[in-house]
């Protein structure tokens, strides 16, 4: 309670709130003297209107919206009475609205009052500048307020587009990715085919979490597509593709040094090669007919999946082989960085059958054959033949039949003789088969 000595006119207290400074002021105004008490009287001024506490129903919930969306901050006042509700931006202390009237000149902002106790601040087409704390004030004495936070986020936005990068073999390649957003985006690199990233000749990683990806001493295995993902926890994340092209001389792998086939058979010869820039390719056949170049109309050239970039299959198919198809086949790959080749020899499988003997051949070897058969019979225990029946070849045969071991002991001599006869028979049979095959 406070007392005021009235004069001829009564000064009435006018209550005001300075929302910018957070202070209150009491200002005096004069009213008609017929309401004034006598000069010597003391009057009690009831200030309960100003001191009565208003209660907030619920705290202002933090609201998170993306840039460009609409945000709604809600303030619940249980007993607003005749008090005014005002919205302010805390950092700038700018009064946005008083009651349902918007004070700031911003067409994006509006205030709606629902069911008497609910005050909603609506901001359309939100920008990053709208991010921050907002205050719901009630003009009590002293003023009361509660705060709410508007969290304005911006999903990542890439600052550049997909691109290609060209590097010589053995040099360094720097792949970069740049994006902005709120919060600041993070980055993650990985290969397009999900294979490991070759940072240098000895270090491989599955992914790389920096804005720049630096690759040392690149080669043909380093080449290919790389994907950068920029994310900040608020979808959608954004991706960028960088394709690394590496200049290198052709690398070739062939089917083998030799391939065997029959006449009339169908054969396919395949070379696996990689090169950049794109090379000129051909097959070359060299045989007894000379040198022949086989252009692309004779073979197919297809991309090989599951291998490093620029890898192709170069397949030459030869149907119904003829004698002129056998020879040396070379797949030749050439680009401005160099050349590569692989040579395979295609050989014919032949079957050799001995011709039947002629009468002259039989006459020539007849005596020798008869002698061998006779000696084979004798060595197996048959009756001995007279030496007078041997021909010129028989002397050699007799020499071949001489005992290998000579011993005067009868038992040993008998056993040795049996073994010798067996060995002699085997030698004679082998010789006979060799002569007949010849």
């Amino acid at each position: 309670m406070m007392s005021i000595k009235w004069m001829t006119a009564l000064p009435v207290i006018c209550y005001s709130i300075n929302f910018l400074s957070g202070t209150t002021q009491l200002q005096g105004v004069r009213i008609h003297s017929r309401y004034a008490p006598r000069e010597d009287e003391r009057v009690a001024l009831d200030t309960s209107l100003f001191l009565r506490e208003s209660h907030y129903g619920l705290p202002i919930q933090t609201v998170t919206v993306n840039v460009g969306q609409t945000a709604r901050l809600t303030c619940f006042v249980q007993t607003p009475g005749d008090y005014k509700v005002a919205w302010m931006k805390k950092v700038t202390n700018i009064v946005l609205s008083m009651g349902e009237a918007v004070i700031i000149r911003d067409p994006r902002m509006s205030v709606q009052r629902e069911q008497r106790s609910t005050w909603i601040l609506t901001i359309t087409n939100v920008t990053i500048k709208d991010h921050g704390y907002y205050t719901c004030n009630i003009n009590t004495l002293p003023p009361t307020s509660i705060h709410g936070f508007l969290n304005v986020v911006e999903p990542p936005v890439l600052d550049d587009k997909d691109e290609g990068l060209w590097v010589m073999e053995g040099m360094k390649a720097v792949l970069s990715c740049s994006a902005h957003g709120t919060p600041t985006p993070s980055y993650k690199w990985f290969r397009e085919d999900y294979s490991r990233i070759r940072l240098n000749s000895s270090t491989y990683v599955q992914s790389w979490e920096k804005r720049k990806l630096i690759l040392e001493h690149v080669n043909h295995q380093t080449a290919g597509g790389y994907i950068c993902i920029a994310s900040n926890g608020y979808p959608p994340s954004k991706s960028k593709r960088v394709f690394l092209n590496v200049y290198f001389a052709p690398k070739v792998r062939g089917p083998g040094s030799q391939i065997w086939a029959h006449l009339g058979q169908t054969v396919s010869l395949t070379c696996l090669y990689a090169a950049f820039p794109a090379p000129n390719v051909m097959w070359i056949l060299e045989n007894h007919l000379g040198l022949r170049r086989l252009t692309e109309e004779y073979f197919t050239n297809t991309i090989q999946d599951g291998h490093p970039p620029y890898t192709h299959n170069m397949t030459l198919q030869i149907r119904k082989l003829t004698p002129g198809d056998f020879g040396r086949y070379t797949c030749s790959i050439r680009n401005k960085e160099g050349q590569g080749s692989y040579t395979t020899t295609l050989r014919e499988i032949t079957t050799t059958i001995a011709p039947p003997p002629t009468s002259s051949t039989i006459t020539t070897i007849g005596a020798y054959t008869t002698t061998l058969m006779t000696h084979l019979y004798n060595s197996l225990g048959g009756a001995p033949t007279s030496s007078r029946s041997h021909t010129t070849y028989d002397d050699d045969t007799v020499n071949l039949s001489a005992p290998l071991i000579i011993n005067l002991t009868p038992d040993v001599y008998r056993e040795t003789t049996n073994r010798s006869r067996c060995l002699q028979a085997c030698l004679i049979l082998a010789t006979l088969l060799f002569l007949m095959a010849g």
Side-chain angles (χ1 to χ4, degrees), residues 5 25 30 38 86 98 108 135 143 160 168 198 207 217 219-220 288 303 335 342 366 395 397 402 413 417 431:
K5 187 177 181 180
Q25 295 180 351
R30 304 187 70 83
R38 290 191 306 269
M98 181 67 72
R108 300 178 305 119
T135 303
D160 45 16
M168 297 294 296
R198 180 183 180 273
S207 61
H217 309 296
N219 60 14
H220 70 287
H288 65 283
I303 297 176
N335 66 7
Y342 192 95
D395 291 335
T397 305
Y413 179 78
T417 303
T431 304

Side-chain angles (χ1 to χ4, degrees), residues 227-247:
I227 303 296
C228 169
I229 301 293
S231 59
N232 62 357
Y234 296 97
S237 299
K238 293 298 177 66
S239 64
K240 173 187 176 181
R241 180 178 185 262
V242 179
F243 195 91
L244 177 61
N245 299 278
V246 178
Y247 293 101

Side-chain angles (χ1 to χ4, degrees), residues 250-265:
K251 303 181 185 300
V252 188
R253 189 168 63 192
S257 59
Q258 291 188 93
I259 293 180
W260 295 81
H262 292 283
L263 284 173
Q265 188 177 344

